[in-house]
């Protein structure tokens, strides 16, 4: 299973954060405005296809999404 995040932020929001629960795992997701196009990183590693793998591994994952503006 995977999720992807493609959204738009209101003009006065520099970023938004959310938590997604997948079984015993949590995904702390921060969506920010980007200057270098759409990018996604999970646990410090770039995800070239922008797809966030969902795992029930008991780990709290950190996800950062930079939106193309």
């Amino acid at each position: 299973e995977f999720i992807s995040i493609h959204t738009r932020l209101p003009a006065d929001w520099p970023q938004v954060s959310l938590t997604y629960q997948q079984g015993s795992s949590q995904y702390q997701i921060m969506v920010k405005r980007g200057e270098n196009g759409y990018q996604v990183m999970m646990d410090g590693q770039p995800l070239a296809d922008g797809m966030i793998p969902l795992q029930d591994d008991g780990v709290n994952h950190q996800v950062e999404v930079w939106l193309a503006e």
Side-chain angles (χ1 to χ4, degrees):
E1 292 182 59
F2 295 87
I3 61 170
S4 64
I5 298 175
H6 296 274
T7 189
R8 298 186 80 156
L9 296 176
D12 57 342
W13 290 19
Q15 62 188 29
V16 66
S17 63
L18 60 120
T19 301
Y20 181 81
Q21 184 84 32
Q22 175 75 18
S24 61
S25 298
Q26 283 194 347
Y27 291 77
Q28 304 295 325
I29 302 171
M30 179 70 69
V31 181
K32 309 174 187 182
R33 295 183 188 282
E35 296 179 3
N36 297 321
Y38 181 77
Q39 298 176 20
V40 180
M41 292 188 73
M42 184 170 119
D43 299 330
Q45 299 298 313
L47 301 176
D49 61 1
M51 300 297 290
I52 302 163
L54 298 178
Q55 306 164 5
D56 184 2
D57 59 6
V59 175
N60 290 332
H61 297 281
Q62 302 297 315
V63 178
E64 294 176 283
V65 179
W66 289 271
L67 302 174
E69 291 291 318

